[in-house]
Amino acid sequence: MENYSKIIEQIYSDVKNMDDIGTVASYIPELAFVDANNFGVHLSTIKNQQIGFGNVYKKFSIQSISKILTLTLAYKLKGEKLWDRVDVEPSGNPFNSLLQLESDQGKPRNPFINAGAIVICDILISHLKNPKEDFLNFYKEVSNSQNLKYSEKVAQSEKKTGFRNIALCNFIKSFGNIKNDVNDVLDFYFYTCSIEMSCKELSNTFLFLANDNFTTTKNTPVLTISQAKRINAIMLTCGFYDESGEFAFRVGLPGKSGVGGGIIAVHPNKYCIAVWSPKLNKKGNSFKGMLFLEKFTSKTASSIF
Ligand code: DON
């Protein structure tokens, strides 16, 4: 069933007209300024279909969606040794929790919770000459877009109020699993979260996780088959924190959310879809984004199960 356009248009209008019980993230003060009525959906398929509805070209703060590409770059640089520093188990806890680190001796459960992404940023700092510049260049290459930047405002806003991340980084350092200066690691982490992209850019960027050879649209290889399998698997089991089971249950695709209200989901061998609606449910995932994707995979019978 591949008449995606009609289906997306219908679900988009149904979900747009529904009540939104979520709230916009405000613990990063700058994020609270977004217009909560934004709603966009963009689908990119491996057969080169491009279908979008609503605010598809408007850039927004991708936040934790960037954790996919920090992981991708660290995995390319460090290979299987990466898993000595971060585990691959769902945490069943909120994205910014400190709880399990004590019993796990500073080894984060997975690379998509904040603790894990902070360790990944530490690894990148150890490998990259100019971490911010080099990471952004990698991002531009994967997305085939030169038009990408960090948001100074969002990064600085998070830096001023990022008390939990500051605590996480110091706590992990006390176990020896952060090798660089905590301020450098946190600064880099906040900047990676501040990247701004549109739904169209997101679905095209993460299409590399769906195509046969895991290449960019310009055929540049990004990951090996085995690496792509593993990243998709971690997205399926850990991409939505303590709501990962719920996302797999309702949507049935590997995916990743961000507190800016974006979600990307991947159907290997078929497509990547990006949704943006800023109001979040209690677990920090876009309320309408999840609803849209649930209806989309049900109606198109295109979950991986
Ligand atoms: O570290 C934070 O709290 C944010 N920069 C990112 C969190 C996030 O996007 C979690 N996603 N749902």
Side-chain angles (χ1 to χ4, degrees), residues 14-35:
D14 290 351
V15 175
K16 192 171 172 59
N17 292 324
M18 289 168 80
D19 279 347
D20 196 331
I21 57 164
T23 44
V24 170
S26 57
Y27 76 99
I28 301 170
E30 198 62 34
L31 294 184
F33 294 122
V34 72
D35 176 353

Side-chain angles (χ1 to χ4, degrees), residues 27-28 63-64 67 95 114 158 165 189 193 241 257-259 284:
Y27 76 99
I28 301 170
Q63 291 297 318
S64 286
K67 291 179 169 72
F95 62 88
N114 288 6
E158 182 162 16
N165 287 323
Y189 170 75
C193 293
Y241 321 105
S257 63
V259 290

Side-chain angles (χ1 to χ4, degrees), residues 9-136:
E9 186 175 16
Q10 183 61 54
I11 302 173
Y12 178 85
S13 101
D14 290 351
V15 175
K16 192 171 172 59
N17 292 324
M18 289 168 80
D19 279 347
D20 196 331
I21 57 164
T23 44
V24 170
S26 57
Y27 76 99
I28 301 170
E30 198 62 34
L31 294 184
F33 294 122
V34 72
D35 176 353
N37 294 317
N38 280 298
F39 186 30
V41 179
H42 196 276
L43 177 88
S44 306
T45 74
I46 62 166
K47 292 184 181 155
N48 295 321
Q49 282 171 286
Q50 298 277 327
I51 300 163
F53 287 94
N55 305 107
V56 278
Y57 302 110
K58 207 162 166 182
K59 289 185 188 260
F60 59 94
S61 193
I62 68 166
Q63 291 297 318
S64 286
I65 298 175
S66 69
K67 291 179 169 72
I68 307 172
L69 279 195
T70 48
L71 171 63
T72 299
L73 183 55
Y75 201 7
K76 279 170 85 71
L77 293 168
K78 218 168 155 65
E80 300 308 313
K81 279 228 140 291
L82 184 68
W83 312 117
D84 295 344
R85 304 275 304 273
V86 56
D87 215 333
V88 295
E89 292 298 335
S91 69
N93 270 313
F95 62 88
N96 54 8
S97 174
L98 286 106
L99 218 56
Q100 290 155 334
L101 283 169
E102 176 85 319
S103 53
D104 294 345
Q105 301 272 302
K107 183 174 181 179
R109 289 276 164 115
N110 68 68
F112 290 153
I113 50 175
N114 288 6
I118 287 170
V119 168
I120 295 288
C121 283
D122 181 57
I123 292 168
L124 289 177
I125 288 186
S126 299
H127 280 79
L128 302 175
K129 227 174 175 177
N130 303 300
K132 282 185 203 163
E133 202 183 318
D134 297 350
F135 177 66
L136 199 59

Side-chain angles (χ1 to χ4, degrees), residues 36-253:
N37 294 317
N38 280 298
F39 186 30
V41 179
H42 196 276
L43 177 88
S44 306
T45 74
I46 62 166
K47 292 184 181 155
N48 295 321
Q49 282 171 286
Q50 298 277 327
I51 300 163
F53 287 94
N55 305 107
V56 278
Y57 302 110
K58 207 162 166 182
K59 289 185 188 260
F60 59 94
S61 193
I62 68 166
Q63 291 297 318
S64 286
I65 298 175
S66 69
K67 291 179 169 72
I68 307 172
L69 279 195
T70 48
L71 171 63
T72 299
L73 183 55
Y75 201 7
K76 279 170 85 71
L77 293 168
K78 218 168 155 65
E80 300 308 313
K81 279 228 140 291
L82 184 68
W83 312 117
D84 295 344
R85 304 275 304 273
V86 56
D87 215 333
V88 295
E89 292 298 335
S91 69
N93 270 313
F95 62 88
N96 54 8
S97 174
L98 286 106
L99 218 56
Q100 290 155 334
L101 283 169
E102 176 85 319
S103 53
D104 294 345
Q105 301 272 302
K107 183 174 181 179
R109 289 276 164 115
N110 68 68
F112 290 153
I113 50 175
N114 288 6
I118 287 170
V119 168
I120 295 288
C121 283
D122 181 57
I123 292 168
L124 289 177
I125 288 186
S126 299
H127 280 79
L128 302 175
K129 227 174 175 177
N130 303 300
K132 282 185 203 163
E133 202 183 318
D134 297 350
F135 177 66
L136 199 59
N137 284 337
F138 173 69
Y139 217 124
K140 285 178 180 169
E141 194 187 325
V142 176
S143 63
N144 279 329
S145 164
Q146 287 308 304
N147 187 18
L148 283 185
K149 35 184 198 324
Y150 299 115
S151 161
E152 283 291 329
K153 270 193 185 163
V154 172
Q156 292 302 330
S157 176
E158 182 162 16
K159 211 170 189 178
K160 280 192 203 126
T161 54
F163 307 113
R164 290 192 77 92
N165 287 323
I166 295 165
L168 279 168
C169 193
N170 280 285
F171 196 38
I172 301 169
K173 177 116 181 150
S174 77
F175 292 100
N177 198 16
I178 292 286
K179 313 292 178 193
N180 297 283
D181 182 278
V182 288
N183 294 318
D184 293 345
V185 177
L186 285 162
D187 179 74
F188 181 50
Y189 170 75
F190 293 142
Y191 273 82
T192 61
C193 293
S194 78
I195 290 177
E196 298 184 326
M197 292 175 87
S198 67
C199 286
K200 185 169 195 288
E201 288 169 329
L202 280 169
S203 69
N204 280 309
T205 299
F206 292 103
L207 192 60
F208 80 89
L209 287 166
N211 70 34
D212 270 350
N213 301 311
F214 307 106
T215 54
T216 65
T217 41
K218 277 196 180 150
N219 271 336
T220 316
V222 186
L223 292 172
T224 65
I225 293 177
S226 153
Q227 288 172 331
K229 173 183 84 177
R230 288 165 198 262
I231 291 185
N232 273 317
I234 305 171
M235 281 165 57
L236 182 74
T237 52
C238 311
F240 298 81
Y241 321 105
D242 43 343
E243 206 170 30
S244 298
E246 180 85 7
F247 190 84
F249 181 75
R250 284 172 48 190
V251 179
L253 293 176

